[in-house]
Amino acid sequence: MLYVIRHGKTDWNAMYKLQGRTDIPLNEEGRKMARDAGEHYKNINFDVCYCSPLIRAQETAKLLLENRAKEGKAVPIITDNRLAEMCFGKYEGTRNVFEKPDCPIYKFFKDPENYVAQDGAESFEELFARTGQFLKEVVVPDLKNGKDVLIVGHGAMNNSIISQVRNIPRKDFWTIAIPNCELIILPTIHFKVFQPGT
């Protein structure tokens, strides 16, 4: 089985600031969320955890799985750069982007089908290429070997994985809303990785 979870809350989440690749740690609420998630999902088996290299995801993974380690049932946590959050270039740090139609990132959230990356931001094509490669090269072989796989990541990056697994078109990219520290289960009976077009 494949499981995906988003990192705990950060100060930038609380201030509605666009994070992207900016490496912001969890705040105390986020750490509590990760520990609570560990307790809530303690009966779900994870054979391996793949994690974004960004600190907020790594902290979440460690706190989520810490009790398993204490009990001698440690789950290996493996970071992979392909699981980093989508890069938003010079727009990272922008507050309340949903209220700024003149900001290019506004279209990313409100009209993803017609979003065009600029000013150092990553495109949908680049995001899907790297996460699709990760799915094909890492996740699919693990699943074929009977492993239960956990991915700890970010809003946009996680959505790109879910979109590929569930064959969701780009126009519906944000119909998947993943709250912080909520686990998404992706049954893999019809698992198929693809590159979604517009």
Side-chain angles (χ1 to χ4, degrees):
M1 193 76 75
L2 176 60
Y3 302 89
V4 177
I5 197 166
R6 185 182 171 204
H7 62 80
K9 191 172 284 188
T10 71
D11 285 343
W12 277 28
N13 287 140
M15 294 186 288
Y16 301 101
K17 292 177 74 170
L18 190 64
Q19 290 182 114
R21 294 280 177 84
T22 306
D23 210 2
I24 307 298
L26 298 181
N27 59 23
E28 284 308 312
E29 181 182 1
R31 293 184 184 101
K32 182 180 185 303
M33 292 173 79
R35 289 190 182 98
D36 288 348
E39 177 63 23
H40 186 71
Y41 301 120
K42 66 182 179 182
N43 294 322
I44 296 177
N45 182 65
F46 305 125
D47 294 303
V48 61
C49 171
Y50 295 104
C51 183
S52 160
L54 297 177
I55 189 65
R56 58 190 184 271
Q58 289 193 58
E59 281 189 283
T60 299
K62 289 172 185 172
L63 293 170
L64 176 71
L65 300 170
E66 67 179 353
N67 284 336
R68 299 179 193 229
K70 291 174 185 175
E71 295 168 2
K73 304 172 186 175
V75 177
I77 299 172
I78 302 167
T79 58
D80 193 296
N81 290 336
R82 291 170 291 187
L83 299 180
E85 178 58 304
M86 194 171 187
C87 178
F88 297 109
K90 77 173 192 178
Y91 302 103
E92 293 187 6
T94 302
R95 294 186 73 168
N96 299 311
V97 70
F98 298 108
E99 300 171 6
K100 298 179 178 177
D102 57 329
C103 177
I105 308 300
Y106 177 88
K107 186 167 277 191
F108 171 74
F109 290 104
K110 298 296 186 180
D111 184 17
E113 191 174 20
N114 295 303
Y115 171 68
V116 177
Q118 55 186 286
D119 299 315
E122 186 175 17
S123 68
F124 269 113
E125 290 75 18
E126 291 167 327
L127 173 66
F128 276 87
R130 64 178 167 90
T131 55
Q133 181 189 56
F134 177 80
L135 286 167
K136 290 174 185 176
E137 293 181 359
V138 179
V139 174
V140 170
D142 275 357
L143 294 174
K144 285 181 177 177
N145 287 327
K147 291 185 178 179
D148 291 318
V149 176
L150 172 65
I151 295 174
V152 180
H154 311 269
M157 189 285 294
N158 284 354
N159 275 18
S160 75
I161 287 175
I162 296 166
S163 293
Q164 291 177 81
V165 172
R166 291 184 176 168
N167 197 6
I168 296 170
R170 189 178 303 170
K171 67 181 178 65
D172 297 323
F173 187 80
W174 289 112
T175 58
I176 313 155
I178 307 175
N180 296 98
C181 285
E182 182 172 308
L183 193 70
I184 303 296
I185 304 170
L186 296 172
T188 53
I189 189 168
H190 299 299
F191 192 98
K192 177 184 176 185
V193 177
F194 86 117
Q195 290 285 18
T198 56

